[in-house]
Amino acid sequence: MKKILKWGLIIVGVFIVIGIISSGRKDNKTSQSSSPTPAPEAVKITARQLADDFDSNQVAAEENWGGKYVEFSAKITNITDSGISFSDVASKDFSMAQISCRTRDKAQLTSIKNGQMVTVRGMVGKQTIGVIDLDDCTVVQ
């Protein structure tokens, strides 16, 4: 029982930190052209592969994946005004790895639901406290 309580408190703490980090970030980019530029070609991977790479060696994973566009499908665990989160994506039983997919187009978020499988595309950033950041995300479905 103590183990379950301990892990529950750790998970709640991680979500609180994620919320604090997410609320402090603002998109400072301004559009200088009226037509959107197409995103570069994305590498198709699994969410598990990405999470396992970061679990195995964060430094190597950031060097390998950082700045690259990836595309994967996973089950949504949380939707906020800044994007979508995916938990329980790593193969390790007690992995803290999660993927946070930030989107600029909030309209994409209105038609999806927690628990739904979606395909997303985004640019891999850094991992902070177990959360792998993806920027410029779009729901591909």
Side-chain angles (χ1 to χ4, degrees):
M1 183 67 175
K2 287 183 180 181
K3 244 185 203 179
I4 293 171
L5 182 61
K6 176 184 171 186
W7 281 106
L9 289 173
I10 289 171
I11 291 171
V12 168
V14 168
F15 280 114
I16 290 170
V17 170
I18 292 169
I20 292 168
I21 291 170
S22 295
S23 67
R25 295 183 180 170
K26 295 192 178 100
D27 189 0
N28 293 329
K29 297 177 184 173
T30 56
S31 177
Q32 295 184 359
S33 114
S34 59
S35 63
T37 57
E41 190 66 30
V43 177
K44 293 185 180 183
I45 62 167
T46 64
R48 175 165 284 171
Q49 177 186 353
L50 186 63
D52 286 350
D53 283 357
F54 274 86
D55 269 349
S56 176
N57 183 331
Q58 178 181 346
V59 175
E62 286 177 355
E63 186 173 310
N64 182 46
W65 293 109
K68 292 182 182 174
Y69 277 85
V70 296
E71 181 177 310
F72 63 86
S73 297
K75 190 182 292 189
I76 300 169
T77 55
N78 194 26
I79 304 168
T80 66
D81 64 346
S82 62
I84 308 165
S85 295
F86 305 94
S87 300
D88 298 323
V89 289
S91 58
K92 287 179 16 183
D93 286 337
F94 294 107
S95 172
M96 297 296 284
Q98 299 178 42
I99 300 173
S100 176
C101 197
R102 284 190 299 279
T103 180
R104 291 184 203 172
D105 183 7
K106 291 182 187 178
Q108 291 184 10
L109 305 175
T110 60
S111 62
I112 57 178
K113 297 191 181 319
N114 285 331
Q116 178 181 347
M117 278 295 267
V118 294
T119 301
V120 294
R121 182 180 300 138
M123 185 176 63
V124 179
K126 299 213 176 259
Q127 182 183 37
T128 307
I129 313 172
V131 179
I132 304 162
D133 290 325
L134 265 67
D135 289 314
D136 198 23
C137 284
T138 57
V139 177
V140 179
Q141 286 187 322

